[in-house]
């Protein structure tokens, strides 16, 4: 997705038209603030990874269902939850608080097989332990995620 603000702990693609260095700082000299970066929206996709990384990747279709541990964990305020689907199936991915109350529905729909991920933005929720539950066909799994503000 296109971002108009750089957030700590996030990754970004930067397109340049010449070799050089990208230096991010918050320096102020007199009345001149060097804290601004011009971000230009584009529909262009990032480039593929280098060939050596492509050769080391897993196959496109996993062998089994899995709900993987979120990253980072503990997190504040967002975390990425990865899961894998060996077949096309209906997937629900929900988050519950320690009282068993549903606090978020991250996925609820038909998904094609493959390696998947979803970002959970828990901004507005209190610190604590949350349970993430995935259901896909006959498969069901849970994991704990810790929100620490």
């Amino acid at each position: 997705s296109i971002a108009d603000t750089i957030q700590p702990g996030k990754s970004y693609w930067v397109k340049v038209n010449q070799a050089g260095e990208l230096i991010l700082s918050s320096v102020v000299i007199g009345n001149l603030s060097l804290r601004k970066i011009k971000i230009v929206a584009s529909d262009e996709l990032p480039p593929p990874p280098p060939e050596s990384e492509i050769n080391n990747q897993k196959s496109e279709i996993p062998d089994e269902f899995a709900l993987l541990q979120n990253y980072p964990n503990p997190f504040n305020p967002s975390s990425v939850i990865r899961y894998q689907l060996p077949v096309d199936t209906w997937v629900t991915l929900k988050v519950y608080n320690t009282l068993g109350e549903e606090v978020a529905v991250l996925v609820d729909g038909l998904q094609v097989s493959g390696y998947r991920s979803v970002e959970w933005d828990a901004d507005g929720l209190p610190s604590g332990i949350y349970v993430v539950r995935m259901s896909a066909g006959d498969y069901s799994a849970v994991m704990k995620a810790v929100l620490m503000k």
Side-chain angles (χ1 to χ4, degrees), residues 2 15-16 18 53 141:
I2 297 172
K15 181 181 178 185
V16 296
Q18 62 186 15
E53 290 183 24

Side-chain angles (χ1 to χ4, degrees), residues 63-94:
D63 295 330
E64 60 187 9
F65 287 99
L67 172 63
L68 305 171
Q69 187 63 51
N70 64 304
Y71 181 83
N73 191 33
F75 67 97
N76 177 25
S78 66
S79 184
V80 174
I81 300 168
R82 295 177 299 128
Y83 56 99
Q84 54 192 51
L85 308 170
V87 296
D88 298 357
T89 188
W90 191 276
V91 177
T92 58
L93 192 61
K94 297 181 178 183

Side-chain angles (χ1 to χ4, degrees), residues 7 10 75-81 95 103-106 119-128 130 145-149:
Q7 299 291 328
K10 300 274 188 178
F75 67 97
N76 177 25
S78 66
S79 184
V80 174
I81 300 168
V95 182
V103 297
V105 177
L106 304 176
E119 183 173 357
W120 174 32
D121 185 358
D123 194 31
L125 292 174
S127 295
Y130 291 85
V146 179
L147 173 60
M148 191 177 295
K149 292 187 175 187

Side-chain angles (χ1 to χ4, degrees), residues 100-118:
E101 300 167 327
E102 184 180 291
V103 297
V105 177
L106 304 176
V107 177
D108 188 14
L110 183 62
Q111 299 222 315
V112 296
S113 60
Y115 296 92
R116 304 277 170 248
S117 66
V118 63

Side-chain angles (χ1 to χ4, degrees), residues 2 4-5 19 23 38 46 54 58-60 62 68 70 72 95 100 104 111 113 116 138 145:
I2 297 172
D4 60 0
T5 305
I23 301 172
K38 183 177 181 182
I54 290 175
K58 300 178 188 174
S59 72
E60 294 292 323
L68 305 171
N70 64 304
V95 182
Q111 299 222 315
S113 60
R116 304 277 170 248
D138 293 334

Side-chain angles (χ1 to χ4, degrees), residues 24-47:
L24 304 177
S25 67
S26 58
V27 176
V28 178
I29 301 172
N31 291 335
L32 178 62
S33 173
L34 302 177
R35 295 173 30 169
K36 299 190 181 199
I37 297 173
K38 183 177 181 182
I39 299 175
V40 178
S42 169
D43 291 333
E44 186 177 1
L45 295 175

